[in-house]
Amino acid sequence: MAAPVIFIDGDQGTTGLHIHDHLRGRSNLQLLTLPAAERKDLRRRAQAINSCDIAILCLPDAAAREAVAAIANPAVRVIDASSAHRTSAGWVYGFPEWQATQSQHIAEAHRVSNPGCYPTGAIALLHPLIEAGLLPRTYPVSIHAVSGYSGGGRPAVAQYEGASAATAPAFQVYGTALAHKHPPEIERYSGLSQRPLFVPAYGAFRQGIVLTIPLELRLLAPGVNAQQIQSALERHYAATAHVSVIPREQTSNITGLDPQALNGSNDMQLGVFVNEEYGHVLLTAVFDNLGKGAAGAAVQNLDLMLAA
């Protein structure tokens, strides 16, 4: 039996290159690539996507929609790494750890939408707490996240690694219009009933994310405490291979979080930090924006689909 054919459409972008690196040399699949001169040829791209078993789309949103529209072969399965289909009907959300049955849903799906990098961390923290009844769906959630500049794609990489690198900012907050594309995805898959406030930033490092969500215990149900929050996260991720929770006894000794700590992996580490005197809790997530936040997640989903 021939190995399944995998076509990466957009394999020259930051996510596509990392996926290609992950898959190159694997004997259980065949990689289909187009010569440089044909990558923008719509006819050749349509031929390629219709001749593969699974297509991985690493494209801008509009191009991803065009690629899906070009599929005439009903056997073709798709993993879309863009944000084009993350809240679309008929698409399975590609976060295997989201809930207990999600890995099976992904394995059986024909259309899988990879989560966004920032939403991966936010949903990982919020969803188990909302499902456990510890965090009200109406809680006024604020999310702050700092990513490596590769999260901005080729233009940001060029800014930090090209001729103008010396003048690139060490740190920059962006999305100050508060209309970023990620909050609807976070709202839907975390279980919130209203849009969260989301403030993203880039730092002068290539990849990695640290994401934080502050909570005030006085705004939660009476009796809810940090230990219950910790336990809910630990229960939710107890059987998962790629998401872990920092043990409670270790957080008191941690004075800082390195966004690059898990670079090169498909892992994510969650934390619950607490100041009992003030009733403040800080939820944290550290992961690689090009790993669990993009290419690593796509490969994880691909492996689930190949095993089905």
Side-chain angles (χ1 to χ4, degrees):
M1 183 176 178
V5 176
I6 312 301
F7 172 51
I8 306 172
D9 195 355
D11 61 359
Q12 296 305 300
T14 50
T15 297
L17 286 170
H18 275 74
I19 293 173
H20 202 280
D21 288 344
H22 277 294
L23 300 182
R24 188 187 298 116
R26 284 181 46 166
S27 59
N28 66 329
L29 52 82
Q30 303 176 63
L31 276 181
L32 172 61
T33 60
L34 292 177
E38 298 180 359
R39 288 179 189 140
K40 293 185 179 181
D41 185 323
L42 296 180
R43 182 184 62 83
R44 283 293 293 120
R45 286 176 55 212
Q47 289 175 342
I49 202 168
N50 280 287
S51 64
C52 74
D53 293 291
I54 300 178
I56 305 177
L57 309 181
C58 303
L59 303 165
D61 288 3
R65 294 187 185 98
E66 290 175 356
V68 172
I71 298 174
N73 180 354
V76 173
R77 305 169 77 190
V78 178
I79 299 170
D80 184 6
S82 82
S83 61
H85 299 100
R86 288 177 187 154
T87 58
S88 298
W91 288 76
V92 172
Y93 195 54
F95 186 10
E97 298 85 1
W98 180 47
Q99 54 191 11
T101 57
Q102 199 65 11
S103 288
Q104 189 61 35
H105 289 321
I106 293 167
E108 298 171 353
H110 261 65
R111 299 288 183 268
V112 173
S113 183
N114 240 38
C117 56
Y118 294 126
T120 295
I123 292 163
L125 290 165
L126 296 169
H127 178 66
L129 304 184
I130 291 172
E131 288 297 295
L134 299 176
L135 187 68
R137 296 181 187 276
T138 56
Y139 191 91
V141 168
S142 295
I143 303 162
H144 180 255
V146 182
S147 171
Y149 57 77
S150 60
R154 282 175 148 185
V157 171
Q159 180 186 20
Y160 280 89
E161 298 181 4
S164 61
T167 60
F171 181 86
Q172 56 181 322
V173 172
Y174 66 101
T176 52
L178 305 180
H180 198 282
K181 65 182 179 181
H182 286 322
E185 179 185 350
I186 296 171
E187 179 182 344
R188 175 166 179 173
Y189 294 107
S190 67
L192 290 168
S193 63
Q194 57 195 19
R195 184 185 180 96
L197 180 63
F198 175 56
V199 182
Y202 289 140
F205 53 95
R206 197 174 205 279
Q207 60 197 83
I209 285 179
V210 61
L211 178 145
T212 59
I213 303 174
L215 300 178
E216 298 232 23
L217 292 177
R218 64 184 176 83
L219 299 180
L220 306 183
V224 173
N225 57 45
Q227 183 56 56
Q228 290 173 303
I229 292 171
Q230 174 88 20
S231 297
L233 291 174
E234 290 177 343
R235 283 194 302 272
H236 188 89
Y237 298 108
T240 65
H242 295 290
V243 182
S244 63
V245 183
I246 302 170
R248 180 74 184 275
E249 61 271 16
Q250 293 182 16
T251 54
S252 60
N253 297 320
I254 296 174
T255 58
L257 295 171
D258 179 3
Q260 303 177 84
L262 295 175
N263 280 3
S265 79
N266 188 45
D267 297 332
M268 177 164 57
Q269 187 175 64
L270 309 180
V272 179
F273 295 82
V274 60
N275 185 302
E276 300 284 1
E277 179 182 359
Y278 304 123
H280 290 168
V281 171
L282 186 67
L283 306 178
T284 68
V286 172
F287 55 105
D288 185 349
N289 63 295
L290 295 179
K292 187 62 174 166
V299 173
Q300 184 180 356
N301 289 329
L302 174 65
D303 285 337
L304 287 170
M305 295 167 76
L306 291 173

